[in-house]
Amino acid sequence: MTPMMEQYIEIKAANPDCLLFYRMGDFYEMFFDDADVASRALGIVLTKRGKHLGKDIPMCGVPVERADEYLHKLIALGHRVAVCEQLEDPAEARKRGAKSVVRRDVVRLVTPGTLTEDSLLDARRNNYLLAIARARASSAGEASRFALAYLDISTGEFRLTECEGSALAAVLARLDPSEIIVSDALYGDPEVAPLLRALPVTPLTRDVFDSATAERRLADYFAVATADAFGALSRLELTAAAACVSYVERTQIGKRPPLSPPQREAASATLMIDAATRANLELMRTLAGERRGSVLAAIDRTVTPAGCRLLAQRLAAPLTDPAAIARRLDAVEVFAEDALLRADVRAGLAAAPDLARALARLAVGRGGPRDLAAIREGLIAAADLARRLDARAGPPAEIAEAAAALRRPDPGLARELAAALAAELAAFKREGGFVRAGYDRDLDDTRALREESRRVIAALQAHYADDTQVRSLKIRHNNVLGYFVEVTAPQADRFMAAPLNSTFIHRQTLAGQVRFTTTELAELEARIASAADRALGLELEIFERLAARVAAIAEDIKEAGQALAAIDVAAGLATLAIERRYARPQVDGGLDFAITGGCHPVVEQTQTPFVANDCDLSPPAGGPGRIYVVTGPNMAGKSTYLRQNALIAVLAQMGSFVPAAHARIGVLDRLFSRVGAADDLARGRSTFMVEMVETAAILNQATERSLVILDEIGRGTATFDGLSIAWATIEHLHERNRCRALFATHFHELTALAARLDRLTNVTVRVKEWEGEVVFLHEVTPGAADRSYGIQVARLAGLPPAVIERARVILAEIEAQDRTSKARRLIDDLPLFAAAAAAAPPAADDALIAALAALNPDEMSPREALDALFALKAKAAKPQGA
Ligand SMILES: Nc1ncnc2c1ncn2[C@@H]1O[C@H](COP(=O)(O)OP(=O)(O)OP(=O)(O)O)[C@@H](O)[C@H]1O
Ligand SMILES: [Mg+2]
């Protein structure tokens, strides 16, 4: 084995779960299995190099300057890449002997959750790394608890939240992390394994999740004495947070990208929306997975990437505190009311680059001159924006705070950067030329020397041309030969013979030209090269100095970046509100849900005219809210109506104006939506199973504060099975969940329930029949539909006339049997709410409560108290009803 292969195998063995990018000159090479995998994934040629154990070693490579492009593809395909660099000049290695290999080591692991490069990131999305830690239930019947820590190293955000197992999927859906880390043990655990199956998970050894060392690891990362600095974090939160930072250190090989101290998020502070609901409502992307057509795309009027990321965060996590919501709405209102200020601020914002990401790259040593320029532009934009905001007297809290943050960074830094940076900047600092002339004396002198030498070369060319009488003689430069004298082939013979050959030394013969060098030229070249080296060295020193100045006020810069984003979001939402005539919603702690003139934020932008509709689920006099049963023909607009009301609530709680004339909403704690039928074959569930699993989640979790949207529940099975399930579901929502709900259905029998359930209201979407055709009015009015016009819609869709005709005949037959009246009779015969009653708490609970009530702790000895505790525990352990 060659020494190089030996080195390769050793480094590869230390990084078995990564593809190894092994630096050789201008290429990253991959060998063995890595080469097979990468050549297939990237569509690059597989070659071979040498032999190992008698077999050819497969090899493929990517050029260093295009590495990002290939990394991007590999990461998107779920690979992890270890980047192994040459740590010394090959010349150094040769000094140690002919056989010695260049020292190399891995400088970074590239994983989906730990990216900083613009070329690898979507500017409009956060890129979260998320760690999950679990505290297992200590007794049966108790739920296990989870702590989630998540961070974006490209922006420095770092947050913590806790939740129960039942909410885990919803939280993961909200954060949509690019990479999830869990311990090996948790990865294989039946409680979480099904949840994680379709997600980008990296299982890690248990030391990363070791709770005993968690606090120290976290404190070390932030270079603070104890983690108490971050407030009282639970052991579980510490474990998750420490796992995150340990993984960052591991992938960045010891570097510590600056993170904000972990911020705690109370689970109850955000509206809970589970994964199915998010998908159904197409919040971030459509069901087809596209951003276009999503709610986010429809409401996004931001002009900066950071603003867009913040908008996405807010849409993903609407608030539940009316005061916090009002704060955001106040800011939107200011911009909505003041068109001049709005235009002014947005013009200022458009010039602002991505401060957070430039900052993060500089901090890990991956920044370039353009990142420094971004900081300069960002700081100038921030100061400028602060001035524009000052023009407005008495701004609301959100704007005042943002303006203060915008003014905080030291203005000296922007001035310094402006003085230092040249007008045109290369992408990489090693290319040099980014320091402005006149900024640094030494650098200017060195550059002058270089320029001077260039002039000398020009003079030399004229001199040689004169001496040899060859007018076409040129002095040229390339990377292989350096400087050389070039003459045409017919002239060349004279240069190879005496006397010229004493001056001109032959270097290369091409088809038409011959190239020579001279001692003078070589000396000049050495001078130029050393001046260039020195100039570059000086520039790099200046770069590091400037980067250090940036790092010194990183926290201020980050906050200014966040303030820019917050202003961008508020001004963007105001622009949307004006453009689409949105109204400020009234959000309070009650249980009302009263929308007048509501529209669907996405559909109304494409469907004109869009018919606005009202919805009032407010409780009649103090009790719980109402349920609407929505009936109406196919294509009438039921699903649109359901979704628009859910979306109006989401928009209101994220702090946006809403597509309605008026909206009064008592905050929702959870939003559930089950729309249409969707397969989830990947997770081994059929259409109907998915429908029922999701309905079960709703019935088990919805509270009086929740809003539930159910669209055609029970459609995936036989008619009577479906009808029965839908029926029982409505009863349960009305009697036990007591939530506000919208229920769309083609089971017209269900409208009969309104006679028995007092908070149930029937509404229908109107159509007109005109010469045998249906005309869709899209108007929601009180009342019930008695038919679905399915056959008319089928005809519109182009079913063959024979099929349509036959269907009409069959329908007439079935209607003659009069299913409807049977169901009407049913409602009188069925013992009402039998289902709801059966779901009453099990008797065992009552027995426990009675036993507890009988205890009098004041009169018990410690011994008696302990006995009582065991007795209670034994009772709880017995099967229900015992
Ligand atoms: N309020 C409205 N104003 C204008 N057009 C509307 C409105 N609501 C819905 N539409 C249009 O009607 C189409 C059908 O709407 P939707 O899917 O909501 O009908 P549906 O009643 O749920 O039908 P189905 O019973 O077949 O599921 C939509 O794609 C949209 O283009
Ligand atoms: Mg529908």
Side-chain angles (χ1 to χ4, degrees), residues 800-871:
V803 175
I804 298 291
E805 224 13 77
R806 178 71 182 141
R808 276 192 213 284
V809 173
I810 297 169
L811 180 66
E813 284 275 321
I814 293 175
E815 278 180 345
Q817 292 169 14
D818 199 10
R819 239 170 354 103
T820 322
S821 72
K822 220 182 285 165
R824 284 249 161 67
R825 246 179 293 123
L826 210 66
I827 198 155
D828 298 325
D829 298 348
L830 266 186
L832 198 55
F833 319 135
D845 282 5
D846 291 345
L848 270 177
I849 288 165
L852 262 176
L855 297 178
N856 187 351
D858 284 338
E859 291 173 3
M860 290 165 99
S861 72
R863 174 67 208 249
E864 283 165 344
L866 203 57
D867 286 345
L869 192 58
F870 278 111

Side-chain angles (χ1 to χ4, degrees), residues 275-619:
T277 304
R278 280 173 200 279
N280 286 332
L281 294 177
E282 307 189 305
L283 290 183
M284 300 300 168
R285 53 188 88 91
T286 61
L287 288 170
E290 311 245 335
R291 186 181 194 273
R292 246 187 85 205
S294 67
V295 175
L296 178 60
I299 65 166
D300 183 9
R301 298 292 183 279
T302 58
V303 291
T304 68
C308 184
R309 292 196 297 270
L310 183 64
L311 183 74
Q313 276 179 24
R314 290 193 177 175
L315 178 61
L319 302 176
T320 52
D321 172 19
I325 295 166
R327 238 178 76 105
R328 291 183 182 176
L329 289 171
D330 286 343
V332 178
E333 186 166 303
V334 163
F335 290 116
E337 281 174 354
D338 191 336
L340 272 179
L341 179 71
R342 188 170 69 241
D344 190 34
V345 158
R346 281 163 62 81
L349 280 167
D354 205 333
L355 274 175
R357 287 199 165 158
L359 190 64
R361 277 191 297 274
L362 285 167
V364 288
R366 262 172 238 146
R370 288 178 191 170
D371 291 314
L372 285 179
I375 301 284
R376 175 194 61 194
E377 295 309 315
L379 291 179
I380 293 173
D384 179 53
L385 188 62
R387 262 192 306 279
R388 291 170 202 246
L389 290 173
D390 284 345
R392 149 113 206 171
E398 173 135 322
I399 296 181
E401 277 165 29
L406 290 172
R407 250 182 268 114
R408 208 167 298 132
D410 169 20
L413 177 58
R415 277 199 298 274
E416 179 81 20
L417 289 170
L421 294 174
E424 301 255 323
L425 298 171
F428 302 102
K429 58 186 175 197
R430 61 166 190 271
E431 291 171 53
F434 53 85
V435 177
R436 187 186 287 279
Y439 176 71
D440 185 275
R441 263 293 268 298
D442 263 6
L443 180 61
D444 287 347
D445 290 350
T446 317
R447 278 177 175 165
L449 199 67
R450 199 175 58 188
E451 286 314 306
E452 172 60 25
S453 308
R454 289 213 170 110
R455 264 198 301 282
V456 174
I457 283 183
L460 198 60
Q461 173 175 312
H463 168 70
Y464 285 155
D466 250 16
D467 260 17
T468 59
Q469 291 299 307
V470 177
R471 292 284 138 219
S472 63
L473 178 147
K474 287 271 169 337
I475 294 183
R476 295 186 190 280
H477 182 268
N478 72 24
N479 284 333
V480 181
L481 294 183
Y483 285 96
F484 52 83
V485 175
E486 191 174 270
V487 295
T488 57
Q491 313 270 19
D493 289 348
R494 273 182 55 220
F495 285 73
M496 307 237 221
L500 288 185
N501 68 355
S502 63
T503 311
F504 295 94
I505 306 153
H506 176 256
R507 294 294 313 268
Q508 194 178 32
T509 302
L510 303 177
Q513 291 93 27
V514 182
R515 293 167 172 179
F516 300 88
T517 186
T518 70
T519 352
E520 251 173 319
L521 198 55
E523 271 164 20
L524 264 174
E525 168 151 24
R527 237 165 75 195
I528 293 174
S530 87
D533 271 0
R534 194 169 136 66
L536 183 60
L538 286 170
E539 286 205 70
L540 293 179
E541 267 173 37
I542 293 170
F543 185 92
E544 294 315 321
R545 214 162 57 222
L546 294 171
R549 284 202 59 178
V550 169
I553 58 163
E555 204 49 38
D556 285 350
I557 298 177
K558 198 161 19 166
E559 276 166 24
Q562 281 160 2
L564 281 170
I567 296 294
D568 192 13
V569 168
L573 287 175
T575 306
L576 170 78
I578 298 298
E579 187 186 302
R580 311 293 326 171
R581 297 165 174 276
Y582 282 15
R584 177 175 177 150
Q586 184 187 329
V587 184
D588 57 33
L591 288 174
D592 283 356
F593 191 96
I595 314 288
T596 34
C599 295
H600 190 294
V602 181
V603 181
E604 66 119 19
Q605 291 191 13
T606 51
Q607 188 78 36
T608 39
F610 189 90
V611 181
N613 279 304
D614 303 347
C615 177
D616 192 354
L617 305 177
S618 310

